Amino acid sequence: MVLTMAGCAVNPVTGKKQLSLIPESQELALGAEQYTPTQQTQGGRFYLDPELTVYVREVGMKLARVSDRPDLPYEFVVLNSSVPNAWALPGGKIAINRGLLVKFEDEAQLASVLGHEIVHAAARHSVQRMQQGMLISAGVAGLGFALSDNEWAALIMGGAAVGAQLALAQYSQSDELESDHYGIRYMKAAGYDPQAGVELQELFLKLSQGRDSSWLNNMFATHPPSARRVQENQALVQQLGAGGYRGRDVYQRRIAKLKELQPAYDAYDEAMKLAAEGKMKAAMDAINKAIRQESGEAKFYALRGRIYENQKQRDKAQADFDKAVALYPEMFEYQLYNGLNAYELNNLDKSRDHLERANQVVQTSIAYLRLGDVAKRQHRRDDAMRYYSRAAEAGGDIGEEAKRKLAEMSQ
């Protein structure tokens, strides 16, 4: 995108003038287009308890209605990730991970995080960051992106990269303070005890300084805590007055299913750790434990399939990838695993089907490369060259392999 003119607008939250290069229509379109792909790069939907997402949406909308942009098309989703984090895309597209929900004690603490994210969306913080990136790169939108907890990070192409960049890039200290300040005001206006926002910042700061920072690494990266934030939040609460709805009993009832499932996810996380260390037998034991505890989680079968792949048991891997796809067909990762494994089994039609479905949601250079290989083996020369050309755009080892194969076909 090339910038042809610059303008000024009033920040809808603070009332201050700010540079405005991206119109609201583009802001809303960007959030809508990237919401699903960005969810999928961060674990996908937590579908085992859909009522939990309904509850989070109810809490979020209480805050959205008293925000400075109540007419944004807000959406809220719970993601299936143990990483404790929450994020907002332009237009009010908000996500919170199950790994953060299990750390809260009551609804007011949930409201404090959702209120904070609503301010990021309402005040156009991610759009402002994007504009700064556009200026720095002489008119090209993009700050680069970092995907945590996702092995396909370096291979993801297209819009999902933009969405991940907006969701996961670090906010400035002023943006964080602004989101704290107005988020607490939204909490008070919605009837919640704003002291919950101070409590969370105190907790995050304490954990970041010592004994147990590991589970908050991702939250710290995108929402860095500081003593200044605690002090300023407390001063605002004293000004507004503490007291209000806490909702501990309701919250604990609502996350009861999630807590019941936690041992299965703990076993999955242990299996992931063991597999990364090359301890495949122990990893298999751990993932089988997870599956015994919860047989309806697609994520568990996908991991077991990958362990089978590592052990060269591709037929067993295929059965597990098929199961993962059957349980959560929208998830690009499971379609991708299935397509790559099917290629190794010489099942070209199946490989093509799954790889194309994966790329419909999140495009990856490895999927384009293998689609090129499938097309070449099926004597579809034009398709092969088209796929290799797309893979070549990604750079890295995958891009170099695609360029080499493209050159061979051009001779």
Side-chain angles (χ1 to χ4, degrees):
M1 178 185 296
V2 178
L3 305 183
T4 57
M5 60 181 293
C8 282
V10 174
N11 184 306
V13 174
T14 66
K16 298 176 182 177
K17 285 187 176 181
Q18 61 187 24
L19 183 64
S20 180
L21 303 172
I22 298 175
E24 182 174 312
S25 59
Q26 189 177 342
E27 172 192 4
L28 299 183
L30 183 63
E33 289 166 4
Q34 300 313 321
Y35 194 38
T36 295
T38 306
Q39 289 175 40
Q40 294 219 354
T41 65
Q42 299 299 296
R45 290 181 296 106
F46 175 62
Y47 64 84
L48 289 178
D49 185 7
E51 289 301 311
L52 184 58
T53 289
V54 172
Y55 172 59
V56 169
R57 184 183 306 127
E58 290 170 352
V59 175
M61 288 308 299
K62 289 179 188 176
L63 296 152
R65 281 191 287 269
V66 299
S67 74
D68 292 283
R69 294 179 78 185
D71 296 329
L72 282 179
Y74 289 98
E75 292 185 60
F76 300 86
V77 68
V78 177
L79 297 185
N80 192 8
S81 172
S82 297
V83 177
N85 202 12
W87 47 261
L89 290 183
K93 308 305 185 187
I94 292 166
I96 186 167
N97 293 356
R98 60 171 170 77
L100 188 54
L101 288 174
V102 295
K103 304 300 180 182
F104 298 152
E105 292 296 322
D106 57 37
E107 187 175 307
Q109 292 181 349
L110 169 62
S112 71
V113 170
L114 296 181
H116 181 98
E117 297 302 331
I118 286 169
V119 178
H120 280 315
R124 308 182 86 232
H125 286 160
S126 57
V127 172
Q128 288 294 309
R129 293 205 321 280
M130 192 174 186
Q131 289 178 170
Q132 292 161 6
M134 290 162 70
L135 291 170
I136 290 166
S137 55
V140 179
L143 301 169
F145 73 102
L147 288 172
S148 63
D149 200 30
N150 190 300
E151 68 170 307
W152 305 110
L155 307 181
I156 288 172
M157 305 170 66
V162 176
Q165 163 196 309
L166 292 175
L168 299 177
Q170 184 173 326
Y171 290 105
S172 68
Q173 185 180 55
S174 63
D175 285 349
E176 286 294 275
L177 290 170
E178 196 169 281
S179 288
D180 285 352
H181 180 93
Y182 289 96
I184 285 173
R185 288 186 176 278
Y186 295 170
M187 287 180 69
K188 184 69 175 178
Y192 289 104
D193 182 357
Q195 189 65 34
V198 180
E199 294 166 4
L200 278 186
Q201 286 303 320
E202 288 174 337
L203 173 64
F204 294 164
L205 183 61
K206 179 180 179 182
L207 290 169
S208 73
Q209 292 173 338
R211 297 169 309 203
D212 184 24
S213 64
S214 59
W215 66 266
L216 276 173
N217 282 343
N218 196 256
M219 176 66 84
F220 291 158
T222 54
H223 303 276
S226 69
R228 180 184 173 189
R229 290 176 67 178
V230 174
Q231 292 163 2
E232 293 202 9
N233 291 353
Q234 187 63 68
L236 178 59
V237 170
Q238 288 172 348
Q239 175 188 330
L240 296 175
Y245 184 67
R246 297 294 308 213
R248 177 183 170 84
D249 291 344
V250 170
Y251 185 79
Q252 291 300 323
R253 284 199 306 272
R254 295 287 193 152
I255 66 164
K257 174 71 172 177
L258 186 56
K259 285 192 168 181
E260 178 186 322
L261 292 169
Q262 192 58 44
Y265 288 114
D266 288 342
Y268 167 84
D269 292 339
E270 179 65 13
M272 283 283 287
K273 177 174 175 289
L274 290 165
E277 295 170 352
K279 301 174 182 176
M280 293 301 168
K281 184 180 183 304
M284 182 65 80
D285 290 343
I287 198 59
N288 281 333
K289 178 181 178 183
I291 291 172
R292 285 194 301 271
Q293 292 174 325
E294 177 47 62
S295 61
E297 175 55 81
K299 185 186 291 277
F300 298 167
Y301 294 100
L303 177 54
R304 191 169 70 178
R306 292 165 64 198
I307 296 171
Y308 278 133
E309 268 191 321
N310 180 270
Q311 297 174 336
K312 309 301 181 187
Q313 299 184 64
R314 292 196 176 274
D315 288 335
K316 289 184 176 180
Q318 177 178 297
D320 274 341
F321 293 148
D322 283 345
K323 179 73 171 178
V325 166
L327 288 169
Y328 189 0
E330 300 87 0
M331 184 65 174
F332 92 98
E333 210 166 332
Y334 309 151
Q335 298 283 358
L336 183 57
Y337 292 143
N338 213 334
L340 296 175
N341 188 64
Y343 180 81
E344 297 299 329
L345 287 171
N346 205 34
N347 191 339
L348 300 186
D349 288 338
K350 178 172 183 169
S351 177
R352 177 184 180 184
D353 178 56
H354 287 293
L355 293 175
E356 286 179 343
R357 284 201 267 172
N359 265 0
Q360 286 171 5
V361 185
V362 174
Q363 298 172 24
T364 59
S365 56
I366 185 62
Y368 279 120
L369 180 67
R370 290 295 172 254
L371 281 167
D373 292 340
V374 169
K376 182 179 179 182
R377 290 175 63 182
Q378 292 182 330
H379 309 293
R380 294 182 288 111
R381 184 176 184 278
D382 288 347
D383 286 345
M385 294 188 72
R386 176 166 53 88
Y387 287 133
Y388 287 148
S389 294
R390 287 291 284 121
E393 295 173 12
D397 292 341
I398 298 294
E400 290 305 310
E401 182 178 344
K403 288 177 183 176
R404 186 181 72 252
K405 290 179 174 177
L406 196 58
E408 290 170 356
M409 293 191 71
S410 301
Q411 291 175 356

